Structures are given as C-alpha cells and as structure tokens.
PDB file of all heavy atoms in Angstrom:
ATOM      1  N   ARG A   1      -0.455   1.539  10.065  1.00 90.00           N
ATOM      2  CA  ARG A   1      -0.372   2.741  10.870  1.00 90.00           C
ATOM      3  C   ARG A   1       0.248   3.834   9.947  1.00 90.00           C
ATOM      4  O   ARG A   1       1.272   3.583   9.301  1.00 90.00           O
ATOM      5  CB  ARG A   1       0.501   2.470  12.024  1.00 90.00           C
ATOM      6  CG  ARG A   1      -0.037   3.100  13.283  1.00 90.00           C
ATOM      7  CD  ARG A   1       0.689   2.660  14.553  1.00 90.00           C
ATOM      8  NE  ARG A   1       0.562   3.696  15.504  1.00 90.00           N
ATOM      9  CZ  ARG A   1      -0.587   4.031  16.133  1.00 90.00           C
ATOM     10  NH1 ARG A   1      -1.690   3.371  15.820  1.00 90.00           N
ATOM     11  NH2 ARG A   1      -0.649   4.987  16.932  1.00 90.00           N
ATOM     12  N   LEU A   2      -0.317   5.047  10.080  1.00 89.00           N
ATOM     13  CA  LEU A   2       0.240   6.167   9.269  1.00 89.00           C
ATOM     14  C   LEU A   2       0.036   7.468  10.059  1.00 89.00           C
ATOM     15  O   LEU A   2      -1.058   7.809  10.473  1.00 89.00           O
ATOM     16  CB  LEU A   2      -0.534   6.255   7.897  1.00 89.00           C
ATOM     17  CG  LEU A   2      -0.045   7.263   6.975  1.00 89.00           C
ATOM     18  CD1 LEU A   2       1.321   7.096   6.481  1.00 89.00           C
ATOM     19  CD2 LEU A   2      -1.055   7.230   5.749  1.00 89.00           C
ATOM     20  N   GLY A   3       1.086   8.152  10.200  1.00 89.00           N
ATOM     21  CA  GLY A   3       1.043   9.453  10.971  1.00 89.00           C
ATOM     22  C   GLY A   3       0.446   9.293  12.374  1.00 89.00           C
ATOM     23  O   GLY A   3      -0.228  10.144  12.883  1.00 89.00           O
ATOM     24  N   GLY A   4       0.836   8.216  13.026  1.00 93.00           N
ATOM     25  CA  GLY A   4       0.262   7.922  14.388  1.00 93.00           C
ATOM     26  C   GLY A   4      -1.141   7.507  14.453  1.00 93.00           C
ATOM     27  O   GLY A   4      -1.692   7.316  15.571  1.00 93.00           O
ATOM     28  N   ARG A   5      -1.741   7.210  13.306  1.00 93.00           N
ATOM     29  CA  ARG A   5      -3.125   6.769  13.225  1.00 93.00           C
ATOM     30  C   ARG A   5      -3.225   5.336  12.859  1.00 93.00           C
ATOM     31  O   ARG A   5      -2.599   4.929  11.857  1.00 93.00           O
ATOM     32  CB  ARG A   5      -3.847   7.692  12.309  1.00 93.00           C
ATOM     33  CG  ARG A   5      -5.303   7.318  12.134  1.00 93.00           C
ATOM     34  CD  ARG A   5      -5.994   8.335  11.262  1.00 93.00           C
ATOM     35  NE  ARG A   5      -7.358   7.940  11.024  1.00 93.00           N
ATOM     36  CZ  ARG A   5      -8.156   8.334  10.066  1.00 93.00           C
ATOM     37  NH1 ARG A   5      -7.635   9.197   9.162  1.00 93.00           N
ATOM     38  NH2 ARG A   5      -9.390   7.934   9.993  1.00 93.00           N
ATOM     39  N   GLY A   6      -3.898   4.623  13.588  1.00 94.00           N
ATOM     40  CA  GLY A   6      -4.168   3.226  13.183  1.00 94.00           C
ATOM     41  C   GLY A   6      -5.128   3.041  12.015  1.00 94.00           C
ATOM     42  O   GLY A   6      -6.120   3.688  12.005  1.00 94.00           O
ATOM     43  N   LEU A   7      -4.724   2.208  10.997  1.00 92.00           N
ATOM     44  CA  LEU A   7      -5.603   2.137   9.844  1.00 92.00           C
ATOM     45  C   LEU A   7      -6.192   0.679   9.699  1.00 92.00           C
ATOM     46  O   LEU A   7      -6.747   0.375   8.653  1.00 92.00           O
ATOM     47  CB  LEU A   7      -4.762   2.359   8.607  1.00 92.00           C
ATOM     48  CG  LEU A   7      -3.973   3.740   8.550  1.00 92.00           C
ATOM     49  CD1 LEU A   7      -3.266   3.868   7.263  1.00 92.00           C
ATOM     50  CD2 LEU A   7      -4.946   4.845   8.807  1.00 92.00           C
ATOM     51  N   THR A   8      -6.111  -0.079  10.747  1.00 92.00           N
ATOM     52  CA  THR A   8      -6.557  -1.489  10.669  1.00 92.00           C
ATOM     53  C   THR A   8      -8.099  -1.585  10.358  1.00 92.00           C
ATOM     54  O   THR A   8      -8.544  -2.551   9.806  1.00 92.00           O
ATOM     55  CB  THR A   8      -6.217  -2.303  11.852  1.00 92.00           C
ATOM     56  OG1 THR A   8      -6.715  -1.670  12.970  1.00 92.00           O
ATOM     57  CG2 THR A   8      -4.721  -2.464  11.953  1.00 92.00           C
ATOM     58  N   ALA A   9      -8.819  -0.564  10.678  1.00 95.00           N
ATOM     59  CA  ALA A   9     -10.182  -0.496  10.405  1.00 95.00           C
ATOM     60  C   ALA A   9     -10.531  -0.173   9.007  1.00 95.00           C
ATOM     61  O   ALA A   9     -11.668  -0.379   8.524  1.00 95.00           O
ATOM     62  CB  ALA A   9     -10.946   0.383  11.382  1.00 95.00           C
ATOM     63  N   TRP A  10      -9.534   0.362   8.300  1.00 93.00           N
ATOM     64  CA  TRP A  10      -9.729   0.739   6.875  1.00 93.00           C
ATOM     65  C   TRP A  10      -9.830  -0.527   6.037  1.00 93.00           C
ATOM     66  O   TRP A  10      -9.193  -1.530   6.302  1.00 93.00           O
ATOM     67  CB  TRP A  10      -8.600   1.495   6.291  1.00 93.00           C
ATOM     68  CG  TRP A  10      -8.427   2.978   6.823  1.00 93.00           C
ATOM     69  CD1 TRP A  10      -9.079   3.559   7.919  1.00 93.00           C
ATOM     70  CD2 TRP A  10      -7.693   3.912   6.218  1.00 93.00           C
ATOM     71  NE1 TRP A  10      -8.658   4.835   7.987  1.00 93.00           N
ATOM     72  CE2 TRP A  10      -7.818   5.133   6.967  1.00 93.00           C
ATOM     73  CE3 TRP A  10      -6.856   3.957   5.123  1.00 93.00           C
ATOM     74  CZ2 TRP A  10      -7.283   6.326   6.659  1.00 93.00           C
ATOM     75  CZ3 TRP A  10      -6.246   5.172   4.848  1.00 93.00           C
ATOM     76  CH2 TRP A  10      -6.383   6.312   5.551  1.00 93.00           C
ATOM     77  N   PRO A  11     -10.595  -0.515   4.920  1.00 92.00           N
ATOM     78  CA  PRO A  11     -10.618  -1.609   4.034  1.00 92.00           C
ATOM     79  C   PRO A  11      -9.262  -1.857   3.404  1.00 92.00           C
ATOM     80  O   PRO A  11      -8.464  -0.876   3.256  1.00 92.00           O
ATOM     81  CB  PRO A  11     -11.632  -1.183   2.926  1.00 92.00           C
ATOM     82  CG  PRO A  11     -12.488  -0.139   3.524  1.00 92.00           C
ATOM     83  CD  PRO A  11     -11.520   0.548   4.560  1.00 92.00           C
ATOM     84  N   TYR A  12      -8.898  -3.131   3.143  1.00 85.00           N
ATOM     85  CA  TYR A  12      -7.611  -3.464   2.534  1.00 85.00           C
ATOM     86  C   TYR A  12      -7.293  -2.582   1.301  1.00 85.00           C
ATOM     87  O   TYR A  12      -6.123  -2.096   1.197  1.00 85.00           O
ATOM     88  CB  TYR A  12      -7.624  -4.887   2.159  1.00 85.00           C
ATOM     89  CG  TYR A  12      -6.339  -5.368   1.544  1.00 85.00           C
ATOM     90  CD1 TYR A  12      -5.103  -5.596   2.265  1.00 85.00           C
ATOM     91  CD2 TYR A  12      -6.251  -5.550   0.123  1.00 85.00           C
ATOM     92  CE1 TYR A  12      -3.974  -5.924   1.607  1.00 85.00           C
ATOM     93  CE2 TYR A  12      -5.114  -5.974  -0.490  1.00 85.00           C
ATOM     94  CZ  TYR A  12      -3.894  -6.124   0.277  1.00 85.00           C
ATOM     95  OH  TYR A  12      -2.735  -6.475  -0.319  1.00 85.00           O
ATOM     96  N   ALA A  13      -8.214  -2.325   0.430  1.00 86.00           N
ATOM     97  CA  ALA A  13      -8.045  -1.528  -0.724  1.00 86.00           C
ATOM     98  C   ALA A  13      -7.545  -0.135  -0.369  1.00 86.00           C
ATOM     99  O   ALA A  13      -6.657   0.442  -1.036  1.00 86.00           O
ATOM    100  CB  ALA A  13      -9.228  -1.564  -1.638  1.00 86.00           C
ATOM    101  N   CYS A  14      -8.050   0.429   0.683  1.00 90.00           N
ATOM    102  CA  CYS A  14      -7.688   1.805   1.020  1.00 90.00           C
ATOM    103  C   CYS A  14      -6.283   1.747   1.624  1.00 90.00           C
ATOM    104  O   CYS A  14      -5.544   2.700   1.490  1.00 90.00           O
ATOM    105  CB  CYS A  14      -8.715   2.390   2.107  1.00 90.00           C
ATOM    106  SG  CYS A  14     -10.301   2.678   1.343  1.00 90.00           S
ATOM    107  N   ARG A  15      -5.986   0.727   2.469  1.00 89.00           N
ATOM    108  CA  ARG A  15      -4.600   0.638   2.959  1.00 89.00           C
ATOM    109  C   ARG A  15      -3.523   0.470   1.953  1.00 89.00           C
ATOM    110  O   ARG A  15      -2.505   1.016   1.938  1.00 89.00           O
ATOM    111  CB  ARG A  15      -4.551  -0.459   4.062  1.00 89.00           C
ATOM    112  CG  ARG A  15      -5.453  -0.283   5.285  1.00 89.00           C
ATOM    113  CD  ARG A  15      -5.123  -1.244   6.401  1.00 89.00           C
ATOM    114  NE  ARG A  15      -5.018  -2.621   6.033  1.00 89.00           N
ATOM    115  CZ  ARG A  15      -5.997  -3.557   5.989  1.00 89.00           C
ATOM    116  NH1 ARG A  15      -7.271  -3.113   6.335  1.00 89.00           N
ATOM    117  NH2 ARG A  15      -5.754  -4.730   5.682  1.00 89.00           N
ATOM    118  N   THR A  16      -3.823  -0.330   0.913  1.00 85.00           N
ATOM    119  CA  THR A  16      -2.853  -0.573  -0.088  1.00 85.00           C
ATOM    120  C   THR A  16      -2.698   0.723  -0.903  1.00 85.00           C
ATOM    121  O   THR A  16      -1.630   1.101  -1.454  1.00 85.00           O
ATOM    122  CB  THR A  16      -3.180  -1.803  -1.061  1.00 85.00           C
ATOM    123  OG1 THR A  16      -4.478  -1.729  -1.502  1.00 85.00           O
ATOM    124  CG2 THR A  16      -3.058  -3.096  -0.229  1.00 85.00           C
ATOM    125  N   ALA A  17      -3.839   1.433  -1.131  1.00 89.00           N
ATOM    126  CA  ALA A  17      -3.702   2.755  -1.862  1.00 89.00           C
ATOM    127  C   ALA A  17      -2.848   3.716  -1.072  1.00 89.00           C
ATOM    128  O   ALA A  17      -2.077   4.451  -1.675  1.00 89.00           O
ATOM    129  CB  ALA A  17      -5.153   3.283  -2.085  1.00 89.00           C
ATOM    130  N   ALA A  18      -2.979   3.711   0.273  1.00 91.00           N
ATOM    131  CA  ALA A  18      -2.109   4.540   1.134  1.00 91.00           C
ATOM    132  C   ALA A  18      -0.612   4.080   0.895  1.00 91.00           C
ATOM    133  O   ALA A  18       0.243   4.872   0.911  1.00 91.00           O
ATOM    134  CB  ALA A  18      -2.497   4.358   2.598  1.00 91.00           C
ATOM    135  N   LEU A  19      -0.351   2.734   0.842  1.00 88.00           N
ATOM    136  CA  LEU A  19       1.016   2.297   0.523  1.00 88.00           C
ATOM    137  C   LEU A  19       1.529   2.802  -0.724  1.00 88.00           C
ATOM    138  O   LEU A  19       2.642   3.156  -0.866  1.00 88.00           O
ATOM    139  CB  LEU A  19       1.021   0.770   0.673  1.00 88.00           C
ATOM    140  CG  LEU A  19       2.394   0.127   0.421  1.00 88.00           C
ATOM    141  CD1 LEU A  19       3.437   0.600   1.369  1.00 88.00           C
ATOM    142  CD2 LEU A  19       2.276  -1.415   0.428  1.00 88.00           C
ATOM    143  N   ASP A  20       0.667   2.715  -1.844  1.00 88.00           N
ATOM    144  CA  ASP A  20       1.058   3.249  -3.096  1.00 88.00           C
ATOM    145  C   ASP A  20       1.489   4.683  -3.002  1.00 88.00           C
ATOM    146  O   ASP A  20       2.525   5.052  -3.632  1.00 88.00           O
ATOM    147  CB  ASP A  20      -0.104   3.026  -4.075  1.00 88.00           C
ATOM    148  CG  ASP A  20      -0.412   1.623  -4.487  1.00 88.00           C
ATOM    149  OD1 ASP A  20       0.417   0.683  -4.164  1.00 88.00           O
ATOM    150  OD2 ASP A  20      -1.457   1.369  -4.987  1.00 88.00           O
ATOM    151  N   ARG A  21       0.722   5.458  -2.292  1.00 90.00           N
ATOM    152  CA  ARG A  21       1.057   6.949  -2.185  1.00 90.00           C
ATOM    153  C   ARG A  21       2.348   7.082  -1.440  1.00 90.00           C
ATOM    154  O   ARG A  21       3.181   7.949  -1.855  1.00 90.00           O
ATOM    155  CB  ARG A  21      -0.061   7.715  -1.447  1.00 90.00           C
ATOM    156  CG  ARG A  21      -1.376   7.916  -2.423  1.00 90.00           C
ATOM    157  CD  ARG A  21      -2.278   8.818  -1.722  1.00 90.00           C
ATOM    158  NE  ARG A  21      -2.841   8.382  -0.447  1.00 90.00           N
ATOM    159  CZ  ARG A  21      -3.853   7.458  -0.247  1.00 90.00           C
ATOM    160  NH1 ARG A  21      -4.392   7.006  -1.225  1.00 90.00           N
ATOM    161  NH2 ARG A  21      -4.157   7.189   1.004  1.00 90.00           N
ATOM    162  N   LEU A  22       2.453   6.277  -0.350  1.00 88.00           N
ATOM    163  CA  LEU A  22       3.841   6.447   0.442  1.00 88.00           C
ATOM    164  C   LEU A  22       4.996   6.088  -0.458  1.00 88.00           C
ATOM    165  O   LEU A  22       6.018   6.691  -0.405  1.00 88.00           O
ATOM    166  CB  LEU A  22       3.805   5.498   1.643  1.00 88.00           C
ATOM    167  CG  LEU A  22       2.916   5.948   2.795  1.00 88.00           C
ATOM    168  CD1 LEU A  22       2.811   4.890   3.830  1.00 88.00           C
ATOM    169  CD2 LEU A  22       3.532   7.188   3.411  1.00 88.00           C
ATOM    170  N   PHE A  23       4.851   5.007  -1.275  1.00 86.00           N
ATOM    171  CA  PHE A  23       5.896   4.607  -2.174  1.00 86.00           C
ATOM    172  C   PHE A  23       6.278   5.643  -3.161  1.00 86.00           C
ATOM    173  O   PHE A  23       7.450   5.943  -3.346  1.00 86.00           O
ATOM    174  CB  PHE A  23       5.392   3.291  -2.874  1.00 86.00           C
ATOM    175  CG  PHE A  23       6.512   2.506  -3.571  1.00 86.00           C
ATOM    176  CD1 PHE A  23       7.163   1.455  -2.960  1.00 86.00           C
ATOM    177  CD2 PHE A  23       6.816   2.829  -4.847  1.00 86.00           C
ATOM    178  CE1 PHE A  23       8.121   0.782  -3.660  1.00 86.00           C
ATOM    179  CE2 PHE A  23       7.811   2.120  -5.614  1.00 86.00           C
ATOM    180  CZ  PHE A  23       8.535   1.091  -4.900  1.00 86.00           C
ATOM    181  N   THR A  24       5.295   6.220  -3.751  1.00 90.00           N
ATOM    182  CA  THR A  24       5.469   7.290  -4.756  1.00 90.00           C
ATOM    183  C   THR A  24       6.020   8.500  -4.063  1.00 90.00           C
ATOM    184  O   THR A  24       7.031   9.159  -4.563  1.00 90.00           O
ATOM    185  CB  THR A  24       4.145   7.672  -5.376  1.00 90.00           C
ATOM    186  OG1 THR A  24       3.643   6.534  -6.095  1.00 90.00           O
ATOM    187  CG2 THR A  24       4.282   8.780  -6.453  1.00 90.00           C
ATOM    188  N   ASP A  25       5.494   8.951  -2.893  1.00 91.00           N
ATOM    189  CA  ASP A  25       5.855  10.169  -2.250  1.00 91.00           C
ATOM    190  C   ASP A  25       7.400  10.046  -1.778  1.00 91.00           C
ATOM    191  O   ASP A  25       8.089  11.013  -1.711  1.00 91.00           O
ATOM    192  CB  ASP A  25       4.982  10.516  -1.024  1.00 91.00           C
ATOM    193  CG  ASP A  25       3.642  10.904  -1.443  1.00 91.00           C
ATOM    194  OD1 ASP A  25       3.392  11.169  -2.711  1.00 91.00           O
ATOM    195  OD2 ASP A  25       2.718  10.926  -0.555  1.00 91.00           O
ATOM    196  N   ALA A  26       7.769   8.843  -1.388  1.00 88.00           N
ATOM    197  CA  ALA A  26       9.176   8.612  -0.949  1.00 88.00           C
ATOM    198  C   ALA A  26      10.201   8.478  -2.150  1.00 88.00           C
ATOM    199  O   ALA A  26      11.359   8.425  -1.940  1.00 88.00           O
ATOM    200  CB  ALA A  26       9.293   7.451  -0.006  1.00 88.00           C
ATOM    201  N   GLY A  27       9.635   8.377  -3.286  1.00 87.00           N
ATOM    202  CA  GLY A  27      10.431   8.193  -4.527  1.00 87.00           C
ATOM    203  C   GLY A  27      11.287   6.942  -4.548  1.00 87.00           C
ATOM    204  O   GLY A  27      12.381   6.836  -4.958  1.00 87.00           O
ATOM    205  N   LEU A  28      10.691   5.876  -3.951  1.00 82.00           N
ATOM    206  CA  LEU A  28      11.404   4.521  -3.873  1.00 82.00           C
ATOM    207  C   LEU A  28      11.559   3.972  -5.322  1.00 82.00           C
ATOM    208  O   LEU A  28      10.654   4.131  -6.123  1.00 82.00           O
ATOM    209  CB  LEU A  28      10.763   3.621  -2.960  1.00 82.00           C
ATOM    210  CG  LEU A  28      10.631   4.030  -1.495  1.00 82.00           C
ATOM    211  CD1 LEU A  28       9.857   2.988  -0.731  1.00 82.00           C
ATOM    212  CD2 LEU A  28      12.090   4.123  -0.947  1.00 82.00           C
ATOM    213  N   SER A  29      12.688   3.290  -5.539  1.00 78.00           N
ATOM    214  CA  SER A  29      12.846   2.614  -6.768  1.00 78.00           C
ATOM    215  C   SER A  29      13.604   1.297  -6.423  1.00 78.00           C
ATOM    216  O   SER A  29      13.921   1.008  -5.247  1.00 78.00           O
ATOM    217  CB  SER A  29      13.659   3.555  -7.765  1.00 78.00           C
ATOM    218  OG  SER A  29      14.961   3.926  -7.169  1.00 78.00           O
ATOM    219  N   ALA A  30      14.054   0.552  -7.475  1.00 71.00           N
ATOM    220  CA  ALA A  30      14.741  -0.706  -7.299  1.00 71.00           C
ATOM    221  C   ALA A  30      15.892  -0.594  -6.263  1.00 71.00           C
ATOM    222  O   ALA A  30      16.575   0.432  -6.231  1.00 71.00           O
ATOM    223  CB  ALA A  30      15.243  -1.140  -8.638  1.00 71.00           C
ATOM    224  N   PRO A  31      15.905  -1.538  -5.366  1.00 72.00           N
ATOM    225  CA  PRO A  31      15.367  -2.795  -5.349  1.00 72.00           C
ATOM    226  C   PRO A  31      14.026  -2.845  -4.820  1.00 72.00           C
ATOM    227  O   PRO A  31      13.398  -3.950  -4.625  1.00 72.00           O
ATOM    228  CB  PRO A  31      16.336  -3.647  -4.520  1.00 72.00           C
ATOM    229  CG  PRO A  31      16.876  -2.747  -3.485  1.00 72.00           C
ATOM    230  CD  PRO A  31      16.939  -1.303  -4.256  1.00 72.00           C
ATOM    231  N   PHE A  32      13.422  -1.710  -4.333  1.00 74.00           N
ATOM    232  CA  PHE A  32      12.072  -1.800  -3.796  1.00 74.00           C
ATOM    233  C   PHE A  32      11.094  -1.744  -4.949  1.00 74.00           C
ATOM    234  O   PHE A  32      11.168  -1.119  -5.895  1.00 74.00           O
ATOM    235  CB  PHE A  32      11.904  -0.520  -2.894  1.00 74.00           C
ATOM    236  CG  PHE A  32      12.838  -0.384  -1.856  1.00 74.00           C
ATOM    237  CD1 PHE A  32      13.910   0.506  -1.858  1.00 74.00           C
ATOM    238  CD2 PHE A  32      12.734  -1.248  -0.721  1.00 74.00           C
ATOM    239  CE1 PHE A  32      14.854   0.542  -0.848  1.00 74.00           C
ATOM    240  CE2 PHE A  32      13.596  -1.081   0.359  1.00 74.00           C
ATOM    241  CZ  PHE A  32      14.688  -0.267   0.276  1.00 74.00           C
ATOM    242  N   THR A  33      10.018  -2.577  -4.719  1.00 73.00           N
ATOM    243  CA  THR A  33       8.985  -2.558  -5.729  1.00 73.00           C
ATOM    244  C   THR A  33       7.606  -2.963  -5.068  1.00 73.00           C
ATOM    245  O   THR A  33       7.683  -3.702  -4.094  1.00 73.00           O
ATOM    246  CB  THR A  33       9.260  -3.553  -6.839  1.00 73.00           C
ATOM    247  OG1 THR A  33       8.222  -3.422  -7.881  1.00 73.00           O
ATOM    248  CG2 THR A  33       9.402  -5.009  -6.343  1.00 73.00           C
ATOM    249  N   LEU A  34       6.515  -2.463  -5.502  1.00 78.00           N
ATOM    250  CA  LEU A  34       5.236  -2.834  -5.058  1.00 78.00           C
ATOM    251  C   LEU A  34       4.797  -4.119  -5.696  1.00 78.00           C
ATOM    252  O   LEU A  34       5.156  -4.383  -6.871  1.00 78.00           O
ATOM    253  CB  LEU A  34       4.188  -1.803  -5.325  1.00 78.00           C
ATOM    254  CG  LEU A  34       4.402  -0.539  -4.565  1.00 78.00           C
ATOM    255  CD1 LEU A  34       3.349   0.553  -5.000  1.00 78.00           C
ATOM    256  CD2 LEU A  34       4.177  -0.735  -3.057  1.00 78.00           C
ATOM    257  N   ARG A  35       4.144  -4.987  -5.014  1.00 70.00           N
ATOM    258  CA  ARG A  35       3.912  -6.332  -5.569  1.00 70.00           C
ATOM    259  C   ARG A  35       2.606  -6.237  -6.390  1.00 70.00           C
ATOM    260  O   ARG A  35       1.750  -5.412  -6.178  1.00 70.00           O
ATOM    261  CB  ARG A  35       3.692  -7.335  -4.475  1.00 70.00           C
ATOM    262  CG  ARG A  35       2.337  -7.323  -3.810  1.00 70.00           C
ATOM    263  CD  ARG A  35       2.261  -6.250  -2.739  1.00 70.00           C
ATOM    264  NE  ARG A  35       1.028  -6.016  -2.176  1.00 70.00           N
ATOM    265  CZ  ARG A  35       0.374  -4.909  -2.307  1.00 70.00           C
ATOM    266  NH1 ARG A  35       0.865  -3.937  -3.037  1.00 70.00           N
ATOM    267  NH2 ARG A  35      -0.784  -4.606  -1.735  1.00 70.00           N
ATOM    268  N   PRO A  36       2.470  -7.005  -7.415  1.00 70.00           N
ATOM    269  CA  PRO A  36       1.237  -7.087  -8.203  1.00 70.00           C
ATOM    270  C   PRO A  36       0.190  -7.749  -7.395  1.00 70.00           C
ATOM    271  O   PRO A  36       0.463  -8.427  -6.340  1.00 70.00           O
ATOM    272  CB  PRO A  36       1.618  -7.984  -9.419  1.00 70.00           C
ATOM    273  CG  PRO A  36       2.760  -8.807  -8.964  1.00 70.00           C
ATOM    274  CD  PRO A  36       3.489  -8.024  -7.909  1.00 70.00           C
ATOM    275  N   SER A  37      -1.089  -7.610  -7.704  1.00 73.00           N
ATOM    276  CA  SER A  37      -2.129  -8.139  -6.972  1.00 73.00           C
ATOM    277  C   SER A  37      -3.284  -8.550  -7.928  1.00 73.00           C
ATOM    278  O   SER A  37      -3.543  -7.891  -8.906  1.00 73.00           O
ATOM    279  CB  SER A  37      -2.701  -7.069  -5.950  1.00 73.00           C
ATOM    280  OG  SER A  37      -3.745  -7.667  -5.265  1.00 73.00           O
ATOM    281  N   THR A  38      -3.789  -9.652  -7.634  1.00 79.00           N
ATOM    282  CA  THR A  38      -4.981 -10.198  -8.436  1.00 79.00           C
ATOM    283  C   THR A  38      -5.811 -11.091  -7.656  1.00 79.00           C
ATOM    284  O   THR A  38      -5.393 -11.798  -6.658  1.00 79.00           O
ATOM    285  CB  THR A  38      -4.514 -10.991  -9.794  1.00 79.00           C
ATOM    286  OG1 THR A  38      -5.611 -11.193 -10.562  1.00 79.00           O
ATOM    287  CG2 THR A  38      -3.676 -12.210  -9.390  1.00 79.00           C
ATOM    288  N   THR A  39      -7.110 -11.263  -8.018  1.00 84.00           N
ATOM    289  CA  THR A  39      -7.931 -12.234  -7.413  1.00 84.00           C
ATOM    290  C   THR A  39      -8.316 -13.370  -8.428  1.00 84.00           C
ATOM    291  O   THR A  39      -8.958 -14.292  -8.165  1.00 84.00           O
ATOM    292  CB  THR A  39      -9.219 -11.686  -6.969  1.00 84.00           C
ATOM    293  OG1 THR A  39      -9.933 -11.007  -8.074  1.00 84.00           O
ATOM    294  CG2 THR A  39      -9.041 -10.659  -5.817  1.00 84.00           C
ATOM    295  N   ASP A  40      -7.567 -13.274  -9.603  1.00 90.00           N
ATOM    296  CA  ASP A  40      -7.834 -14.263 -10.673  1.00 90.00           C
ATOM    297  C   ASP A  40      -6.822 -15.326 -10.710  1.00 90.00           C
ATOM    298  O   ASP A  40      -5.579 -15.104 -10.864  1.00 90.00           O
ATOM    299  CB  ASP A  40      -7.783 -13.576 -12.046  1.00 90.00           C
ATOM    300  CG  ASP A  40      -7.858 -14.452 -13.229  1.00 90.00           C
ATOM    301  OD1 ASP A  40      -8.901 -15.239 -13.177  1.00 90.00           O
ATOM    302  OD2 ASP A  40      -7.141 -14.361 -14.171  1.00 90.00           O
ATOM    303  N   PRO A  41      -7.247 -16.588 -10.412  1.00 91.00           N
ATOM    304  CA  PRO A  41      -6.318 -17.727 -10.276  1.00 91.00           C
ATOM    305  C   PRO A  41      -5.487 -17.930 -11.497  1.00 91.00           C
ATOM    306  O   PRO A  41      -4.295 -18.244 -11.479  1.00 91.00           O
ATOM    307  CB  PRO A  41      -7.146 -18.962 -10.026  1.00 91.00           C
ATOM    308  CG  PRO A  41      -8.415 -18.319  -9.426  1.00 91.00           C
ATOM    309  CD  PRO A  41      -8.611 -16.988 -10.075  1.00 91.00           C
ATOM    310  N   ALA A  42      -6.047 -17.715 -12.715  1.00 92.00           N
ATOM    311  CA  ALA A  42      -5.318 -17.869 -13.966  1.00 92.00           C
ATOM    312  C   ALA A  42      -4.145 -16.888 -14.049  1.00 92.00           C
ATOM    313  O   ALA A  42      -3.038 -17.227 -14.531  1.00 92.00           O
ATOM    314  CB  ALA A  42      -6.202 -17.772 -15.227  1.00 92.00           C
TER     315      ALA A  42
END
C-alpha cells in the first residue's frame, strides 16, 4: 500500500522498485538495509 492506494495487483518487481524508492527518499541507513534478491540457486 502506498499513499492510500493498494498495490497488490502490481507485479512484484514494480512493488520492490517502489520500496527501493521509498528507502532512498526516506534516507534510511544502517541498521536498515534492503535485502539482496536472486533467482539463481548458486
């Protein structure tokens, strides 16, 4: 949810991009961190 709007219909990639923007816009730093993401088992 962002700005009173539900985002559950958005693709996951778009929602995580929105999270990235929120993180940057808020100027968050340690101990807060965005998690890495991969689809590669190795």
Side-chain angles (χ1 to χ4, degrees):
R1 222 169 153 69
L2 182 62
R5 181 176 175 199
L7 306 183
T8 56
W10 287 19
Y12 176 74
C14 293
R15 294 191 316 266
T16 55
L19 177 62
D20 292 345
R21 284 190 303 276
L22 286 171
F23 193 93
T24 300
D25 292 349
L28 295 176
S29 59
F32 302 102
T33 186
L34 291 174
R35 83 277 170 242
S37 180
T38 187
T39 57
D40 179 45

